[in-house]
Amino acid sequence: IGKPDSWLDPSYLGTLLETHGVNSLWGVPSPFALLMDGAGGVLPASLTDLHFSGEALPPQLVRRIFKNKHVELFNPYGPAEVTINSHAHTVETNDTTSASVPIGVALPNTTGYLLDEHRMAVPVGVAGELYLGGRKVTRGYIGRDDLTHQSIMGVASLSDGGERLYKTGDRVRWLVDGALDFLGRVDFQIKLNGQRIETGEIESVLRGVHGVNDTLVVLQGGGPSAQPARLVAYVLPMDAHEAGARQACNASLPKYMAPSAYVSLAAWPLNTSGK
């Protein structure tokens, strides 16, 4: 058993895997990317399968992992309100060429609906918010009736006899094979100078730039701040070429969606759970 917060110490975690010949590892993508940085991208020969959850799995990280031919990779998905896991996807090589890695198909005792803002079902390929049902959905939050009523609901019209549904706040779309593709959070939609913007669309463009491993676009300023609102793109790694990122955004996006500033970082700041 590793020490507490092992995920936040890549050197310690790498040594632990090597020393004990660990076969299977379940964790969060961001700190694992740091482990790979420290190991030069080479994973222990004993490690045969990886399971990542807790945040979106970047295709760039998948490409690095798949250079280790002995490793299988799985991308499970699910919030705590649905007993942790609701969907899972076995990651394939062709997933590395997409903007996102699918979260897969529903696990047993799980149902799912993709609904628009009017809670009407959306067709294959169209983005909607994911509502999860089935026996695993929690009854609510202890001492938080307001949050329960906001997120846990009974919907009789969607299935025989009705069921509890959890409003995840995640934007997804059906793929033709019945799997789900994760697109981001519904509450990540921002409004800048009257224009509604999905920051995930900007991030997809930036992730396609040579030398960019990962990125996050945020809205800064505005409101009570004295600074005017603007889009800022944070980019990994530190030596990512700003000119290439700026050129890609200007060429692929409307002017109002192009970030005003680009900040390169050596690594993401992580919280205590490694996210």
Side-chain angles (χ1 to χ4, degrees):
I1 297 177
K3 68 179 183 181
D5 297 334
S6 298
W7 275 108
L8 303 183
D9 187 342
S11 176
Y12 169 82
L13 184 59
T15 301
L16 197 70
L17 297 178
E18 289 278 7
T19 302
H20 296 281
V22 172
N23 305 120
S24 181
L25 186 66
W26 193 302
V28 184
S30 293
F32 193 81
L34 298 180
L35 181 148
M36 292 200 71
D37 291 343
V42 179
L43 297 177
S46 64
L47 196 61
T48 56
D49 61 274
L50 290 170
H51 305 254
F52 286 137
S53 59
E55 62 185 27
L57 177 58
Q60 294 86 345
L61 179 58
V62 175
R63 287 195 286 270
R64 297 176 66 192
I65 291 171
F66 277 175
K67 290 180 180 178
N68 298 265
K69 304 298 184 182
H70 58 284
V71 177
E72 281 192 287
L73 182 58
F74 304 91
N75 189 33
Y77 161 88
E81 290 85 349
V82 191
T83 321
I84 306 303
N85 286 316
S86 64
H87 291 71
H89 174 67
T90 301
V91 183
E92 306 289 348
T93 304
N94 58 8
D95 292 324
T96 64
T97 60
S98 304
S100 59
V101 178
I103 57 176
V105 297
L107 298 173
N109 297 317
T110 303
T111 59
Y113 305 94
L114 269 61
L115 308 178
D116 61 18
E117 62 270 24
H118 306 295
R119 294 187 183 168
M120 300 294 291
V122 300
V124 172
V126 176
E129 182 175 357
L130 179 59
Y131 289 69
L132 291 174
R135 299 174 61 186
K136 299 189 293 183
V137 177
T138 181
R139 288 177 291 174
Y141 303 92
I142 295 176
R144 289 296 308 274
D145 287 345
D146 57 333
L147 195 56
T148 298
H149 293 150
Q150 176 183 330
S151 300
I152 312 293
M153 58 201 68
V155 182
S157 60
L158 290 178
S159 64
D160 294 337
E163 64 177 315
R164 280 197 309 274
L165 292 181
Y166 171 61
K167 184 180 186 296
T168 67
D170 288 334
R171 291 179 71 248
V172 298
R173 63 176 177 173
W174 293 114
L175 300 176
V176 292
D177 62 357
L180 290 179
D181 191 22
F182 179 78
L183 302 175
R185 294 284 300 172
V186 297
D187 47 10
F188 280 4
Q189 185 185 75
I190 62 173
K191 197 168 185 179
L192 177 62
N193 299 326
Q195 301 282 358
R196 293 193 180 277
I197 298 172
E198 299 282 354
T199 56
E201 295 181 20
I202 308 172
E203 292 165 359
S204 291
V205 171
L206 287 170
R207 291 191 181 104
V209 176
H210 177 71
V212 173
N213 290 334
D214 204 2
T215 183
L216 179 70
V217 176
V218 299
L219 181 67
Q220 292 187 349
S225 169
Q227 299 294 326
R230 64 174 185 163
L231 291 171
V232 177
Y234 292 89
V235 179
L236 299 183
M238 183 67 79
D239 58 357
H241 202 290
E242 178 184 331
R246 188 180 296 275
Q247 182 179 6
C249 287
N250 290 338
S252 304
L253 298 168
K255 186 175 181 180
Y256 66 86
M257 291 180 67
S260 301
Y262 297 79
V263 180
S264 59
L265 300 173
W268 296 126
L270 305 179
N271 63 19
T272 53
S273 64
K275 296 182 182 179

